[in-house]
Amino acid sequence: GPLTQAESEALLEEIGREWPLDAAARARITAAAEGNPLYVEQMAAMLAEGDALDAIPPSIHALLAARLDRLPLEERAVLERAAIAGKEFGRGAILRLSPEEGRADVDEHLLSLVRKDLLAARPGREDAYRFRHVLIRDAAYAGIAKELRAQLHERFADWAAQTNAGRAGELDEIVGYHLEQAYRYREQLGPLDDQARSLAERAGELLGAVGRRAFARDDMHAAIKLLDRALALLTGENPARLELMRELGGAFWALGETARSESLLNGLLEAATAIGDRRIEQHALLELAQHRTMSEPDVSMAEFEDVTRTVIRVFEELGDDEGLAVAWRRLSLVPRAHGDFRACEEALEHALDHARRAGIAKEEARVLGSLCDIL
């Protein structure tokens, strides 16, 4: 909640040790701030910089915009580059985003922005800073022209990808986000060229990989957001697109969004059939067959078994251990429904063997869970 009158006065008393304020200024700030501590701090800073008392902007957004407009161009540029990097950022990122001729002065500008209460040093982190408030970061970001935003996001992505953490894949989501933003701003600015389409491909592949990892650890909410963003970036010609559609359909089903799942899987089946991708086609048929047995009472287990055994034969021809692991696990449901636990166990043993060959820990865990249920 907002600060009380006494709390606002106590905050101004503390601020006044660095920036002396007379009684009239304190009263005006307290009345205008309405308990917003960021407003109190930024108004005090603005007055300390020499502004007239009657020139105080009426809202926090107007106040921040006015403060940023007053900055020297070099400091404003550093603050905008910091806004690209995020609410918290390292000095190295700002150096990478700055033009080579201005890098020598970056440290001086960062310290000046700290003194002006726009940035703060991060405790325990050498050469690391943070915005004093997310609204300051938002105000700085809003002032960047779209073309420059696109350039800076791409530059930040390239820098982050080359860090130790980036090369280890730990920053894939961050790199993917910045590439995605670079592409979206280019999309808004006019016709897309090959460079812009390359940004979309890179972003989609990275976000798709992160989404698949989220799917593998059963974080379906994160998987849906990431896979959906990845699919929006990848064209129909990208071979990774169908795999992402398959996993997104599975994530929707896991969260009970059956209509969206089936719509996506039907689209996947159509796309895979059109380009002759038998593997993806069979995965889609298998998923849709199981969905039908669970959502349509008139579908018999015999129909489900026929589809699954056909899928198994195709996966054997293709040498698809992942597909065989899933199909044999699904087939185990048929004898289990009839109380034939010996046949169920045999199907699961096949599934376990293929899951281990494929090296898919998640599928192996599912098979082992099913085995535990019947033993």
Side-chain angles (χ1 to χ4, degrees), residues 84 141 149-150 152-163 165-167 169-185 196-211 213 225-234:
I84 292 288
Y141 188 84
R149 284 187 202 178
L152 292 175
H153 277 296
E154 182 179 359
R155 202 179 301 167
F156 184 90
D158 291 339
W159 171 80
Q162 293 305 312
T163 63
R167 286 193 291 269
E170 297 172 10
L171 302 181
D172 282 355
E173 185 173 354
I174 293 172
V175 174
Y177 163 79
H178 283 279
L179 291 171
E180 178 186 31
Q181 294 304 303
Y183 169 73
R184 292 302 179 198
Y185 284 118
R197 283 186 283 272
S198 174
L199 290 173
E201 294 285 311
R202 290 170 61 196
E205 288 169 6
L206 281 171
L207 293 175
V210 179
R213 292 200 290 269
K225 290 178 182 178
L226 289 160
L227 293 171
D228 199 34
R229 285 165 59 194
L231 283 169
L233 292 161
L234 296 176

Side-chain angles (χ1 to χ4, degrees), residues 231-249:
L231 283 169
L233 292 161
L234 296 176
T235 65
E237 301 171 358
N238 191 298
R241 183 176 173 81
L242 296 185
E243 283 289 350
L244 298 181
M245 287 178 68
R246 178 168 74 91
E247 297 204 342
L248 182 56

Side-chain angles (χ1 to χ4, degrees), residues 99-121:
E100 190 170 347
E101 62 273 15
R103 291 176 185 173
D105 298 322
V106 163
D107 288 332
E108 178 185 341
H109 297 322
L110 286 170
L111 291 175
S112 178
L113 292 166
V114 169
R115 286 194 295 269
K116 292 175 180 178
D117 241 17
L118 297 169
L119 299 179

Side-chain angles (χ1 to χ4, degrees), residues 352-369:
L352 183 61
D353 180 50
H354 289 293
R356 285 173 173 168
R357 288 185 190 178
I360 302 174
K362 179 178 180 178
E363 187 59 35
E364 182 179 349
R366 284 176 170 171
V367 176
L368 289 170

